[in-house]
Each structure stands twice: as structure tokens, then as C-alpha cells.
Amino acid sequence: MTSVPEPMPGSLRWAVWLLRAEGIALGLLTVFLVYATLRETASLVGGLFVTVFALAGAATLWALAVALGRRRTMARAPAIVLQFMLVPIGYYMIQGGLAWLGVPLIVLGLLVCGLLLSGPTNRALGLDAERA
């Protein structure tokens, strides 16, 4: 007899969707960086480094979203760390005069962290504290 898995709770579904959206956005930024690096003549090595870093970030976000969608518990902690990294990035964007982008980044990072730490997500990932 096979058991039917419980449906994914809304908090986990939204967290997975937002992580995928972040991965896609960073992937699009990577495409732009490839273009900018190929047009730039000053520092090819620096441009390539930034581009590879952005590509690795996009791939990591996407992989974590897929793993969380499959309810892999070990993907939650790295996803939370990446989301908390949006807070200082957003802060320095605000300090640099890009509040229109920095504030939403901070809110997005904290929102996804909240979704990943919520009770329904904990239960779906098998991390509920009621196990005794």
C-alpha cells in the first residue's frame, strides 16, 4: 500500500516560488553581465569573475528551490543564509542612494526567511518540535 504525500503547505510553496524567482532574476543579471563583460575592454578577468559568481548564485538559488520543493530538509539552512545576505546588500544599496531597490531586497529576504521558518514549513520538512 502506498501512502499519498501531504500537499505542500502554502508557506513552503511560496518560499520555493520566491527562491526560483530570485534564481531567474540573478540568471538574467548574469546574461547582462556576460554582455557587459564582452563589451568591456578594461578588466576582462574582473568581469569574468563577477559573471561566474552571479551564475553560481543563480544556480545555487535554483537548486535550493528544487530541493525544498522535494522537501529536502538540508536545503533550508543554506536558503536561509542566502536570504539573510540580502539584508546587508539592501542596507548598502540604501546607503548608496538605491533605496528603491535596497528596501525591497531586505523585505524579500526577511519574508522568505519567515516562510522557511514557519510552522507549516517545519512540519512539511519534518522539523516539527512536537516529535517526542
Side-chain angles (χ1 to χ4, degrees), residues 63-64 67-68 70-80 125-127:
L64 289 171
L68 285 167
R70 294 179 180 165
R71 299 181 190 205
R72 303 288 193 260
T73 306
M74 297 301 287
R76 186 175 82 153
I80 291 171
L125 295 175
L127 297 170

Side-chain angles (χ1 to χ4, degrees), residues 35-57:
Y35 170 76
T37 299
L38 293 175
R39 301 243 335 141
E40 180 64 39
T41 58
S43 175
L44 181 63
V45 174
L48 287 174
F49 178 75
V50 171
T51 302
V52 169
F53 188 75
L55 179 62

